[in-house]
Amino acid sequence: MNAGPRLSARSQGSPQRHPWVIVPGIWDSDPDHWQSRWQAEPGVEAVRTAPTSWSDPDPADWSQALSRAVASASRPPVLVAHSLGVLAVTDWLVTHGDRVAGAFLVAPPDPDAPSFPTAAQGFRAPTARVSTPTALVVSDDDPYCSADRATGFAAALGAEVLRVGARQHVNVASGVGRWDEGRQLLAAFEERC
């Protein structure tokens, strides 16, 4: 795979401040997704959640997979979630937030939107404030969640909002590639954890 230009040491977070737990959305993140690319960077300490219900997501299974991944980290990690993974994380943080250093959440889907996958109907919009340092990355033209709805989720969580402009769902289809901008946002967020 062509990794493209190297990131600066600053944007790579060298040395990495916290291990990461990668929490993909429905169907997992393929090798070209920014989550997979970041996880594959040399020197990165990261583990990916491994629920058994990728294509027919069960919230309890995803929560258990998240707990297992966090427990396997060498020290309190930063959760790096995308899409449906964001909803799994926000629910998990309510009771387990003391186990992690922070949560970097990208492109949440809106469970009340018509575009929300029928298979994921058990997942809920965030409604509870969390004490964990949390940043919610919001795209202005995400087809799965309006920017207003996403900023409402952030307000409910007590999360910092990071607006990234028109990046659609911040995935392979949106053309962000390795998403260096996001990697820099994560490095800056880790400094605040």
Side-chain angles (χ1 to χ4, degrees):
M1 170 186 344
N2 179 4
R6 296 289 302 163
L7 296 172
S8 70
R10 173 95 175 131
S11 67
Q12 284 186 28
S14 180
Q16 188 177 354
R17 291 184 56 87
H18 304 280
W20 301 333
V21 169
I22 304 292
V23 188
I26 194 169
W27 305 301
D28 199 357
S29 292
D30 68 31
D32 291 329
H33 194 284
W34 57 265
Q35 283 182 311
S36 300
R37 291 172 143 195
W38 292 2
Q39 185 177 359
E41 288 178 8
V44 165
E45 181 181 349
V47 63
R48 181 181 296 250
T49 57
T52 59
S53 59
W54 279 121
S55 59
D56 191 17
D58 172 53
D61 176 42
W62 283 45
S63 178
Q64 291 165 1
L66 186 47
S67 290
R68 286 190 303 271
V70 168
S72 74
S74 63
R75 59 193 188 282
V78 167
L79 306 178
V80 180
H82 178 255
S83 194
L84 190 62
V86 170
L87 301 184
V89 165
T90 58
D91 187 57
W92 186 89
L93 285 174
V94 173
T95 54
H96 304 294
D98 60 334
R99 299 181 188 179
V100 298
F104 184 78
L105 312 175
V106 181
D110 181 354
D112 297 325
S115 59
F116 193 73
T118 304
Q121 291 302 315
F123 289 79
R124 304 178 313 240
T127 58
R129 192 169 200 80
V130 297
S131 59
T132 308
T134 303
L136 185 68
V137 177
V138 177
S139 170
D140 290 339
D141 62 348
D142 191 330
Y144 298 103
C145 186
S146 72
D148 286 345
R149 184 81 163 133
T151 56
F153 293 165
L157 292 165
E160 171 185 9
V161 174
L162 303 174
R163 299 285 292 260
V164 292
R167 298 286 185 278
Q168 298 173 27
H169 197 50
V170 196
N171 59 6
V172 173
S174 67
V176 297
R178 192 178 56 206
W179 195 39
D180 292 344
E181 171 193 23
R183 187 67 177 81
Q184 292 167 359
L185 290 171
L186 174 57
F189 173 71
E190 284 190 285
E191 294 282 337
R192 300 188 294 274
C193 290

